[in-house]
């Protein structure tokens, strides 16, 4: 997957967009160049917990953390150069080294993720997945 497409998928995930992509958004994402994304939670809706404590926007997520969403909830967050959108009734455990996520353990729920280069391990009890380059 080329670098420009990776940036487009990251931007769409961080922005909370998961609907149809318009040509305007594609042009804008391709024109962004190399951009740093702010770490932590970007969008919160409903009940979202980090390590069993309520989350506020901007809180950082690190390897070893657990993110849980309640019904009718949503959490969009960035860890290093990986972006995640966790939907309602989800429980995600992250593990890795030196700030980089290496393993995602989705115990229950729905997630949209876009990853930077590197190997990732995804653990799920049962799943229906669509993998498109670095997005899952």
């Amino acid at each position: 997957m080329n670098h420009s497409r990776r940036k487009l998928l990251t931007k769409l995930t961080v922005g909370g967009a998961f609907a149809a992509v318009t040509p305007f958004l594609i042009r804008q994402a391709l024109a962004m160049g190399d951009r740093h994304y702010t770490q932590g939670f970007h969008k919160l809706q409903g009940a979202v917990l980090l390590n069993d404590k309520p989350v506020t926007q901007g809180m950082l997520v690190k390897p070893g953390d657990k993110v849980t969403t309640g019904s009718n909830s949503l959490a969009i967050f960035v860890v290093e150069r990986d972006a995640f959108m966790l939907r309602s009734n989800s429980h995600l455990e992250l593990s890795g080294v030196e700030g980089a996520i290496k393993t995602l353990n989705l115990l229950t729920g729905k997630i949209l993720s876009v990853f930077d280069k590197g190997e990732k391990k995804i653990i799920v009890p049962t799943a229906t997945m669509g993998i498109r380059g670095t997005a899952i």
Side-chain angles (χ1 to χ4, degrees):
M1 169 181 253
N2 69 33
H3 195 63
S4 297
R5 185 168 175 211
R6 160 79 176 104
K7 288 179 185 175
L8 170 65
L9 292 173
T10 301
K11 181 179 180 192
L12 291 174
T13 301
V14 171
F18 50 91
V21 178
T22 65
F24 170 76
L25 289 176
I26 293 171
R27 277 194 312 274
Q28 185 179 9
L30 293 174
M32 285 174 53
D34 193 20
R35 185 176 213 189
H36 173 76
Y37 291 98
T38 306
Q39 302 296 297
F41 285 94
H42 287 258
K43 182 176 181 181
L44 299 167
Q45 178 180 317
V48 180
L49 303 175
L50 177 64
N51 300 322
D52 300 322
K53 296 181 179 154
V55 172
T56 58
Q57 191 164 338
M59 287 179 74
L60 297 179
V61 183
K62 303 176 294 301
D65 284 345
K66 297 181 291 185
V67 182
T68 307
T69 58
S71 61
N72 299 318
S73 298
L74 172 78
I76 297 176
F77 57 98
V78 174
V79 181
E80 288 295 309
R81 294 185 51 89
D82 300 331
F84 304 91
M85 179 171 57
L86 197 59
R87 303 295 301 263
S88 61
N89 299 316
S90 298
H91 184 93
L92 176 67
E93 294 179 354
L94 305 165
S95 62
V97 292
E98 298 175 10
I101 299 299
K102 297 294 182 188
T103 303
L104 299 169
N105 188 356
L106 184 64
L107 301 172
T108 185
K110 302 168 281 293
I111 189 170
L112 171 65
S113 305
V114 179
F115 303 107
D116 193 17
K117 295 178 183 175
E119 187 175 313
K120 304 286 187 227
K121 181 177 182 180
I122 301 168
I123 302 169
V124 292
T126 304
T128 301
M129 289 194 246
I131 301 173
R132 305 290 181 266
T134 61
I136 186 167

